[in-house]
Every structure is written in structure tokens, then in C-alpha cells.
Amino acid sequence: MKKYDAVVIGAGNGGLVAAIRLLQGGAKTLLVEKHNLPGGFATSFRRGRFEFEASLHELNDFGAADNAGDVRVLFDELGVTDKIEWLQIPEAYRVISREEKIDATMPFGVKEFIDKMESYVPGSRESMEKFFELAEEIRAAQSYSNSSNGKTDTKVMKTKYANFVKCGSYSVNEVLDALKMPKRAKDILNAYWCYLGAHCDDLSFVHYASMVLRYITRGAAMPKSRSHEISLAMVERIRELGGDVWFNTEAVEIKTEKIVAESGEQEENQQKYRVTGVVLNNGEVIETRHVIANCSPHIVYGKMIDNVDERIVKEINARKLAGRGFTMFLGLNKSADELGITNHNYFLYDTMDTVRQYEVMKRIDTNCVQATVCLNRAYPECSPPGTCMMYFTTLYMSDDWAKVKPEDYFRVKDKVASMMIERFEKDTGCRIRDSIEEISVATPMTYARYCGHPEGCIYGYESQYWDGLMPRLLMMAEDHKTRGLRFAGGFSMRLSGYSSAYFSGDITGRQTVGDIKREG
Amino acid sequence: MNFKKKMFGWMDMLRFKKLVPNRRAEFDKAPATKIPDTYKVNSIAKILHPGNQKATLTGIATETSDTKTYTFSLERKMFFRAGQYVELTAEIDGAVVSRPYAISSSPYKALREKELSVTVKKAGFFSNWLFDNAKVGDEMIIGDPSGFFHYEAIKDEKTVVGIAGGSGITPFYSMAQAIKEGSEDFNLILIYGAKTEKDIAFKDRLDALASGKIKVVYVLSDEKNDKYEHGFITKEIIKKYAPEKYTVMACGPQAMYAFLDKELAAMGIGGKRVKKEANCVGVRDVKKAVYTLTVHIRDEVYTVKADNRETVLVAMERAGLRVPSKCRAGGCGFCHSKLVSGKFSIAGADKRRLADLKFGYIHPCCSYPDSDMELIVPAGLE
């Protein structure tokens, strides 16, 4: 029987980083991926003369070499930064919201952002300055927490990071109201909410503020050859470090056995079972005591493990699946200039009342919300001269797609694609429909098929009030319910998004290296 | 600054302390009902992308002297876009062999009756085997419906002028049935080129499908017959039958495309208005040389011989290795493999992703070996 110190299931963003961390920690590591490509959502695909980015809008917290964000620091440590050619995104975003008649284009840079906000919303400066000051303290507290591996000193937290602790249990709106931010400034500032997929009454302020701060202070980056370049660079690195990567290889079962407690041994987290191996789709059994699953606990505990404790079942049932994904990719036979597409990154909303907006996003026939990117505005040469590429993403906050009958599926897909185009044209005044040379549409069904996520959700478990970033980080040890099984990726402790998934792989990879050292 | 939400800071701090107990309490409240092993959206996805499945041959029909239709009963439901292909896999003399074939049946047949047909021209190793050996009751494997040779309502005109050459009629026959049954909605003017009258496949059925939405024009190249157009499919013939606005979809041999490209260029038609189905990569005409391929699949290493006139994929298949393939035309990327060392040439346009070029990945189905090569290849069908 083949034996590895650790097996990583899934070569998504979390799994790739976890595998590198394991190898750097000296563990003999096998990474298995059911597809023929690495990256999960971090990939690209060709249609005609276009190569589309599958999912990445902009990489948060990367920054430039002289203003490195935490992701760049992580990539440096992993040894992959220089394998990738990077571009900087020119501006933060343009948000258009119908109800409030907002059309605001926001720059990167804290000073620039605050000045621009003041020009749109006179009198917003003081609250905006407070927002960034608070966000900066949150960043510092997170960095302290990371450096102490989550084992923070309460005294230090209460004295040095008191504001962080005091705002740490509140939602975005609760804190912005406490900062007395004018409503219109709040509306413009909240534009990024769809990146985290929970409305601002639910979404943790700490989570949101930390993300906004990282965007605004460090800018955003993009690999030149799409996210496929990052994924291949990571595979390259894994092989350089002596790791094995097997594609078209699905892990179908994680074998576990009951832990027999030795006398006097205190079982951490009431763990009842421990990992003994992984069964692959060709029937092969790999012996290992450590698995990092870069997939949803729903799938792992729903069909990959026999021994599932009732507590685990309850915990999984308690959680809420976050947004179900939809993306339309367009290759246009005119340039962005010709079409009048002036911005890289558009957020189009019906309203900035995120609670009501969230409701509208529950239904196929009402949801036109979109985060739309024209990649040529960051990288003009990404498509042939005289053309440009766009991708339009939305989330569905319910299982409306589950009601679509198979025979209606292609029609519904076209209808939604058409709605998205119409909304973009009406809100921006750009005419794009007649210039579509290539179109590809991914629905929740596509995502369900590609990554196996339940109901085609792409954002992991929703950042609900009780299940946000802070409690998940505080309960990392307690959430480790099966010994030797840890999770990385969008369903895990850092929640979804590229940067978060990379960090989750970093955390779980390093934790597993520690487990191996302790337990063998 | 001193952030305060409640009246006193300590109240905000206390609230922070409750984050953990609150989350535990939510877990406590949740039901202990069994975690599902599938979900509704995933179940629908499984019909759209059923994956490899067992298919039992239920019928063989002769269409022309060199074309037969093979009808299969599927294990699971399937739904697809008319015009797509599937990969058919069979075990031939102990080796597992796969080829892509255009679907000739309708989408609703596969969805409602789990029945799927492919129409095959006798042209090579696999099709010869099918013609000579396949019999009703045989079990084979059919993969996902694939490819983008289908109508696209958002960008295509309401009318498609379909240009078919020889067995290139197959996807259009599926489209015509789909329009009739209502699973596709567009007008199809089909201009179908064949050598002689007896080389026309599906003639009676195509004629029966003719309606306000479907029109079929036959063009014979090697036979003069008053009932049909004669010659190649020229711009004059296209102009004679096409409306003012239309999208061109073409499926046929390379020679037909070469001729058609000139005709369309002369009419000023190109770009988004023209879609052509790719053909499988064949052999190349060079002086024979034999190279050695070192192939890594999972933790196994194989050494196989490669004839430089055939693709790297064919060399691996000839050696009996189970390796992935699907379109066999360089486009789908399913055979995506890491090149460790060696030289190669690509048949036709390079359809790889940018990062593949940078990190040395190739598509074996469209790459010919120009030296000894070492490759890391994903595992094939289990």
C-alpha cells in the first residue's frame, strides 16, 4: 500500500497552497484532483480567439513589490511570486445603483478614496477617516493574531487592539452607523458587499473593513495569463518540492477509525475518529493519517466518510450555503474604446439597501445585480486588437435554479444572459449586444458539476451574523472534529474569495505540519 | 480613536466574548437529520453532464455505403445542445479505445427515453471495428455531451445556414429534429453536399422534417440530377437560398472548409457570423521516424514507441496506455499534459491557454513528436 504523510484532496486555491506548506514542512505529500486541471475555479478557458478568466476579478491584498500585501508575502514564502507575471488594476470600482441614483467611480489609495468620497458626499470625510483608522487597527490585530497562531493574549487584545475587540461582534451597518457615516457615503462604501455575499446587516464589519482596507491601500492585482497561471505555477512549485500531483484522480472515501483513548489522555475537541487513509476512484487505497480537504464539509461528511458523529451532523446542518454562482463571459469584436466601456470593474445594483437587494437576488426573474469586469481596462493586450473581453458575475441567494426543469435549462440560461446584457447596456449606456463574437455562460449547474459544491454555491458557507470570520477564527481548534482531517478553501475558516482561500491553505497546511510532528 | 457602539466600551467587549458561545448555541439548535448525499442543482447538473456511463447498443442502421447509425440505450438521462458530440469508448482486443462522434438523435430522446444515436463514417481504426464487429447488445461507454457547435441565441441570427459536407450532416440532422421537437428554436436552411444521390444520408427523414422553419437543399458534386443542385457549395447557391440575415454553421471535411472560406470571404461574411466544427487530427505527411516517449501516469512510468507521423496521443493509445482524450482536435484540453522534455509540432492552430505555453503543457491529441519526449499525463478512464 502506498503511504504518504498527508493527502490533499482537491487542487483548488486552498489545496494548492496547503500542499506547498506541507512539503515545505517536510511532509511527504500527495495532491489528488478529480479534474485534469488544477485551480478549481482558478482557471481559464479558450473560445475562438479569446482566453477567458474563469473567476478572478482582482486579487486582493497582493500589492506591489514595494507595497506588499499579505498575499504577496505568502506567495514569496511559497516561492511562486516570480513564476507569475502581474498586472495592477487601475482603479477600485465604479458603482451604479438605480434607486439612489448613484454612479460613483472610486480610486485606490486611502487619501484619494476619502477625497473622492468627499466630492460625492460632502461632509463624509470625518467618518471615512474614522473608518480607515478602525480598519487599520483591525488589520494590525489580525496580523498580531496570525503571528501568534491564533493564540492571542487577552490583555494585549484589550489594551493594544481595544477598538478591534469592541467592533468585532458587529455587522457592517451597525459599525458604520456608530461612525455616523452619511447614508450616501455608506452606500458607496458598501459596494464591495457582493464580493462577500452576505448583506450588510449580517456581514461582519471586521471582515468587510479588512477587505476594503486591503483593496484601497494595496490596490488589486491580476496575473497576465489569467488565474490559470497562478494554478500552474503552484503545481510547478509542488513538483519542485518533490510532491506528487495526480490529476483525473478523485478521492471517493476517507477512511477513519475510532480513537482508543490511552489512559490519562485528554481527547481534544471530543474527537472520536481519526483518519487512516484515502480511497481513490481507481480503488487504490492510500495510507495516511492526515488529510486536507479542499472541498465542502457537506460533501466530505455527506458521502466520503462512514464514521460521522452526531455533533458533526448538527454543525453541518446549522450552516447556510452562500451564493450560487452565475457568470457570463463575452468576447466582443470591438475594442473597449469603441464600445464606450470605460472602467475595469462595475458593480450594478438596484438598491444599496443590501437587505432588500439580497431578497431580489433570490429569484432568477428579478436578479440583475452584477459585478462586471472588462479585463482590457487592466490589460489592453489580453485579447486581439479591436476586441475586448468581459465577464459578468452574479449570485443567487436561494435555490431558484433547483426549480428549473432540465428541458428548460438552456432557455433559462439564455434568458438570464440576456437580462444581464440588457441591464449593463441600460445602466452604462454602452451597446454591446451586437458585438458579441463569443459567449459562454456558467450557471449554478456548471459550478455544481465542476467543483461538486452543493447547489452550485461558490462562496462556501455564508458569512452570517453568528458564523462570520471572527467566530470561525476563534473556534478553529474546536471545529477540528475528526483527527487528521482539516479543511481548506472557501468553506473553511477564512471564508471565500481568492485571498481567503490561499490563506486557509496556508493555515491548514502549517497546522497539519504541526499535527504530523506531534502525532506522526 | 475610541470606538463605541453601546453606552460603555466594556459592553462592546463583552459582546465580543459571546461570539463563541453564540456559535456553539446555533450548532446546538440544528437538527441531526442525515446530511444529504446529493442536492437538487447537482442532480440537474448530472443530467447535463452525466459523465462516462454504460451504454448498450440497441440498433444499427445503414445510412449510406460507408455510414451507419448506432443507437444506444443509456443508463442515465442526458440532455444536450443539438450539434454536440459524445466520446464513444469500447474495448478492442484488450485495449480501451475512444473516439468523438457527433450525436444524430434529438435532445429530448436522450432526456426522456435515455436513447442516443451517433452516426459514424467508416474512416479509421475505431469505425472499421464498429462496422465489422459491433452488434446489438454490446456494451460500450458514452461520455458527456461536448463541444460548442450549437445554436447560440444571444449572438446568432434567427436563421442558420447550415453547410454540411458528407457525414458532416450528422449534427444538423440532430438540430433539425431538435427544432421540430422544440428543444431548439431557430430557422435552419440546410445546404447539404454529397457526391451522388445514394450518398445522401437521412434523406427521407430530412425531407419529412422540412417545414416553415427547416429547409433542405441537396447539392451533388459527382452527379447531375435535375432534382438537386450540382457542383460544390458556392456563394451563388448560398445566396440563392439564404435570407438577408443569417449565421453560417459548417461541418464537413477540410477540403470543403478551404473552398467555403473563399466563397464566404468573397461575400464579406466572417468573424462572429461563421462557426465551423473542428475535425479530428489525422496523420501528417513526413518521413517516418520512431521516437521514444517516457510517460508518467500517477506513480507509474511507461516507455513507449512513437511514430512521428502520428500524434503523441495515438502513440500512447497504441501502447495500450489509458490516457484521457475527448475532442481529438486540440481544442477541449482534456488531454492537457505536462511536457518534461522533447520537441513537438502542433497540427493546425495552437489552441492552448497562454499559461500552458509558459509552463510547458501540450495537448497530445494535436501534437506530433519531433524527438524523444518525456510527459506527465493525467490518468485516463477507469
Side-chain angles (χ1 to χ4, degrees), chain A residues 281-300:
Chain A
N281 59 332
N282 62 349
E284 200 171 336
V285 181
I286 305 293
E287 193 183 323
T288 189
R289 290 162 66 88
H290 302 278
V291 165
I292 293 177
N294 183 194
C295 46
S296 77
H298 267 75
I299 300 297
V300 170

Side-chain angles (χ1 to χ4, degrees), chain A residues 440-494:
Chain A
S440 184
V441 176
T443 68
M445 280 71 162
T446 317
Y447 293 114
R449 175 240 178 166
Y450 195 72
C451 284
H453 295 339
E455 306 293 14
C457 75
I458 56 171
Y459 271 26
Y461 295 129
E462 193 165 295
S463 177
Q464 297 179 88
Y465 205 84
W466 64 269
D467 196 19
L469 181 67
M470 284 319 300
R472 284 199 213 181
L473 288 175
L474 292 166
M475 290 174 75
M476 253 196 294
E478 193 170 324
D479 285 347
H480 182 208
K481 283 284 188 295
T482 300
R483 190 184 294 177
L485 173 61
R486 292 185 180 274
F487 288 90
F491 285 88
S492 62
M493 78 305 259
R494 288 292 301 252

Side-chain angles (χ1 to χ4, degrees), chain A residues 7-50:
Chain A
V7 174
V8 179
I9 299 174
N13 289 337
L16 288 165
V17 173
I20 296 175
R21 280 305 197 199
L22 285 163
L23 290 156
Q24 288 176 328
K28 188 183 178 215
T29 304
L30 170 65
L31 169 59
V32 293
E33 165 57 49
K34 70 173 176 171
H35 285 288
N36 64 328
L37 294 174
F41 295 146
T43 189
S44 67
F45 61 94
R46 293 263 324 244
R47 286 288 184 281
R49 49 185 180 151
F50 300 93

Side-chain angles (χ1 to χ4, degrees), chain A residues 2 36 44 47 51 83 163 166 169-170 174 228-229 248-249 282 311 317 455 465 467 478, chain B residues 2-3 5 12 15 23-24 28 33 41-42 148 272 298-299 333 352-354 356 358 379:
Chain A
K2 286 160 198 164
N36 64 328
S44 67
R47 286 288 184 281
E51 179 174 341
K83 292 183 190 293
N163 290 317
K166 284 190 280 182
S169 68
Y170 292 108
E174 284 169 328
H228 186 49
E229 186 177 4
N248 281 0
T249 302
N282 62 349
R311 179 69 194 177
N317 286 333
E455 306 293 14
Y465 205 84
D467 196 19
E478 193 170 324
Chain B
N2 180 15
F3 177 81
K5 172 83 183 161
D12 293 324
R15 210 167 173 279
R23 187 161 176 270
R24 283 189 196 130
D28 289 337
T33 45
V41 166
N42 302 61
F148 308 103
K272 64 174 281 189
R298 291 186 179 139
D299 52 348
R352 291 177 293 166
R353 299 162 172 90
L354 288 166
D356 292 335
K358 176 172 173 175

